[in-house]
Amino acid sequence: MAQLQKQKTLWRYLATFNLWSPRTPNLTQVRAYAKVAKPAKTSDFFLFPENKKESINLKKERIEGLETAKQLANYRNAAGKLQNNLQVLVIREQRAERWNEIAVAAKKRQQEVSKQVELDKKSIIDGYSTVEDIYLKLPQQDKVLACSAGIVSPSLLLESVAKRGNLNHNPDNVLFAVFENNELWDISRPFTKSGDVNLIGVEDLHKLMPSEKDTNPVPQLISGSNHRIFNSIFNSAAFVYNWALECVLDTKAILVDYSTSTSGFYCDIIISKSNQNLALEIADSLNSKVPPVGNDSLEDFRALFEAANTHIHQILNNSQDFTGLSDKLRDQVNEVYNTLCSQRAPISRQEVTWSQAVRMFAANPFKLALLSSYPTSAIFPVYRAGNHIELFSNTSPTTPDTALVANTIHALYLETNATSAAQFVATSQPETPFTKAPASHVVTRVHGIAFPTSALLRLVKEVALDTQKRDHRIIGKQLGLFLFHPYSPGSATLLPHGTRVASRLVDMLRKEYRRFGFMEVSTPLMFNKALWEQSGHWEHYRDDMFRLGVDETEFALKPMNCPGHCLIFGAAPRTRKELPMRIAEFSPLHRNEASGALSGLSRVRKFSQDDAHIFCLAEHTANELDATLRFVERVYGNVLRLPYNLALSTRPTKIDGEATLGDDGDWTRAESELTAAVERTGKAYTTHAGDGAFYGPKIDIVVRDAIGREHQTATVQLDFQLPRRFGLQFEGEDIVLVHRAVLGSVERMLALLTEHFGGRWPFWLSPRQAVVLATSPAANEYATWVAAYLSGRTTAKFGEWVEGEGEMGVERFVELNDNTESLSKKVAQASSKKVNFAVVVGEKEMADGVVTLRNLRKEERGVIMGVDEVLRLWEGLEKRFE
């Protein structure tokens, strides 16, 4: 019996170890141990059991007297693992201690107004108040509640409403509070402003879901105000998933960042191949550089930032030492994620200062790089569940606890791929020692999307499969649109069919240029460094420019056209009749994108842009902005028929850590002008605070493709700074510059449209509009003429055409297939190439002077038509942009 008791003690110890170790529990083992030992609850693994610091010696005392060497060896192995994992906890304990210090300080401050707090609590719960700092309209209540700012939270409101019996929600299932402007608020976060407040519960979330019969739920789900709610749900899922990653991967991994979008969330992580103590070693190095509390300036943290920068470069320069997330590890992470979600671990929120955040996350060099991009006056929300503490760089709230994540999200769909961390560290302030990181594929990005029901998850998987099929890189190769070669990475070679699509887009824009009064120009591809210094781009943009020496002078390939266009405007005195002057250009631009950021046609180094600039006086600005937005509506509304939203981006605090150009008055005026222009369109718009360019605010056009994804394409920017730098005036009045691109990059638009149409292009834009199919050798001559006539190579009638002579018609792409294969096989080949029309020609058609036209996009029989009738049909399609 004594031996059995000792064995039970060992199993209990091992089971407890497996349950609260930060390593992935071997659940099969744990269940076996649990049958004997009845170990602590599973939640102890995640929520820091009280006995976590019990010493190894005490554990040894429990198993003295074990008789077999095998049992002793097993114990020593487990004890060694425990010692290592106690070291693992040091990082999290340090972070937790810093959290607790901040929480204690916050509680002390609140105690100073304890009487007021108690008064407010009594006032809220009893339905009256004597304090009048802010005013809140309670859900389903007629009266307005006055209370003190910074004390009353949505949870207290819940208590009040539930007490009166006027709550339509289960209090345990409330997710967020929401103001009348759709601003979401954490349940535990005290209100700091007045407004109408409502509640969002799990029940409400299910009502928002589209029908499960919908084959494409994503666009409906994230449309309108819903996207903020689901963005917060994705935020909660990402938080818990990051926690699961940390539990499974231990100290061989470093969490880099995570974020959400309208299409789900992602978590970035770095995983070492062989160094099981990577995070510990880096933490030891960085924690030794943390200055004493009270030394909170950038200079005080310089040594810490220098060490973090060194670690980042060492990691990114040694990609061979790191690996991705294997399927086995991912399955383990998913299992831990589900376990975490099954418990009611509270998710608490706390606001911290910049210096507090730096100290809290001092062990993570990537978090330090992120923090270095913010001013030292910044305030950050930090969230905690159990021993996991995470810095939030977005403003979306989370659910109150992990159980609500589980109730809200019954299924999780994930995929992984490699990405680059170069962009992550490129936005630091110049006062910090962080430098631009090398391009690298070290970081593994885990994409996730979460939905309330498994049926909707199934639909989302179908959408994901469709997305993969629509990948422009796959379709581009299948249809022979473009290619990339390692001799010129990031620079696409457009093949004849791809060039045909790009040319039609450009031709369409050129016609619109005439409508809106633009003049096309062409400027040099390379300019002296002095031009870029004068424009300000050298200070803000030089690392992203291709620079080269010419005659012992530094030059750069142009990454944009605006400085060159300023030279054109300033080359001669201008008359009032010349204003506004609208200049457009399509010549190639070059930007030195990091190799890890390159992605097909979506992110390239060489591209053409429908770049245009309007030089005008202040009195013209409103009209020019209105005309530009009408231009946008014509292209996206009438021609491409892509739904789009407007986003107003305001003045950033820093751009790559450097100050923006201009004074406050200029920025206020520019933002007011753009706001008024957007409002005159009558379209709803969003405001992206701090997302403007370094020289001025902007309006971004965000389009949505056929599968619900959003893409920023067109942009309209108002700039008072660049004309001043070039001394551009008219009769003593400063010129105002409007930067404008409608398609944006032609290459990126080609990628977007390829995926939007899935390779099935509308006729006017199609790279392969028609194919003439000869059904017998006797009809080959007639078929050859039909192909030439329909393609616009000749206007001569059959029997009169001499190749290379005579007038030509409208150019179209019509190829000839006169091989001896069967007609059905020729039609199948044409369909696989996404050809729009098959023009069938045989001896009967030749005798009657007609053709049989088949629309390959529709399951229909061919129609006998005259050749000129076909042309008129096609002309109608082109006129309607179909």
Side-chain angles (χ1 to χ4, degrees), residues 120 152 375 621 745 799 830 850:
D120 275 345
V152 177
T621 305
S745 160
V850 296

Side-chain angles (χ1 to χ4, degrees), residues 508 512 633-641 764 880-881:
M508 177 271 294
E512 296 302 320
E633 169 60 25
R634 176 157 179 82
V635 170
Y636 288 102
N638 297 353
V639 178
L640 298 177
R641 296 182 178 89
W764 78 274
R880 297 189 301 271
F881 297 104

Side-chain angles (χ1 to χ4, degrees), residues 231-243 245 255-261 264-269 347 361 366-367 370 381-384 388-394 396-398 424 443-446:
N231 198 53
S232 296
I233 296 301
F234 297 154
N235 211 39
S236 306
F239 174 76
V240 179
Y241 196 81
N242 242 13
W243 188 6
L245 282 169
L255 301 180
V256 177
D257 193 16
Y258 77 92
S259 188
T260 61
S261 68
F265 67 86
Y266 68 80
C267 300
D268 286 349
I269 192 165
I347 301 177
F361 296 94
F366 292 95
K367 298 293 186 186
L370 173 65
V382 180
Y383 288 79
R384 176 177 183 175
H388 180 64
I389 300 174
E390 189 61 71
L391 173 71
F392 273 37
S393 56
N394 59 48
S396 297
T398 68
F424 178 80
V443 181
T444 293
R445 172 164 292 181
V446 183

Side-chain angles (χ1 to χ4, degrees), residues 527-538:
F527 284 99
N528 191 296
K529 166 187 172 183
L531 174 72
W532 308 111
E533 289 176 329
Q534 184 176 0
S535 68
H537 289 91
W538 195 259

Side-chain angles (χ1 to χ4, degrees), residues 406-564:
N407 291 341
T408 305
I409 305 165
H410 295 304
L412 188 66
Y413 173 60
L414 298 164
E415 60 179 355
T416 61
N417 68 288
T419 185
S420 169
Q423 285 182 286
F424 178 80
V425 295
T427 57
S428 303
Q429 300 180 59
E431 298 89 345
T432 71
F434 283 100
T435 56
K436 186 173 181 178
S440 174
H441 289 281
V442 167
V443 181
T444 293
R445 172 164 292 181
V446 183
H447 292 276
I449 193 162
F451 287 100
T453 68
S454 58
L456 278 167
L457 175 66
R458 185 173 61 253
L459 294 179
V460 171
K461 288 183 177 181
E462 293 173 3
V463 172
L465 182 61
D466 186 29
T467 301
Q468 185 177 4
K469 291 179 181 177
R470 289 172 179 264
D471 190 321
H472 73 276
R473 291 165 294 188
I474 296 174
I475 294 176
K477 185 175 181 179
Q478 291 172 344
L479 301 186
L481 302 181
F482 60 86
L483 62 82
F484 286 91
H485 197 280
Y487 286 168
S488 186
S491 299
T493 297
L494 293 187
L495 301 173
H497 294 301
T499 302
R500 195 171 297 115
V501 178
S503 297
R504 290 202 175 99
L505 287 171
V506 171
D507 289 344
M508 177 271 294
L509 279 178
R510 283 186 167 128
K511 292 177 182 177
E512 296 302 320
Y513 281 170
R514 295 201 303 273
R515 183 190 307 274
F516 287 94
F518 285 88
M519 300 178 292
E520 194 171 343
V521 299
S522 179
T523 58
L525 296 181
M526 182 174 65
F527 284 99
N528 191 296
K529 166 187 172 183
L531 174 72
W532 308 111
E533 289 176 329
Q534 184 176 0
S535 68
H537 289 91
W538 195 259
E539 177 184 0
H540 293 271
Y541 209 79
R542 63 180 176 274
D543 289 340
D544 297 306
M545 299 168 71
F546 286 102
R547 294 173 284 176
L548 59 160
V550 179
D551 296 333
E552 299 182 354
T553 304
E554 194 163 12
F555 280 71
L557 297 179
K558 63 178 180 180
M560 64 280 296
N561 288 310
C562 34

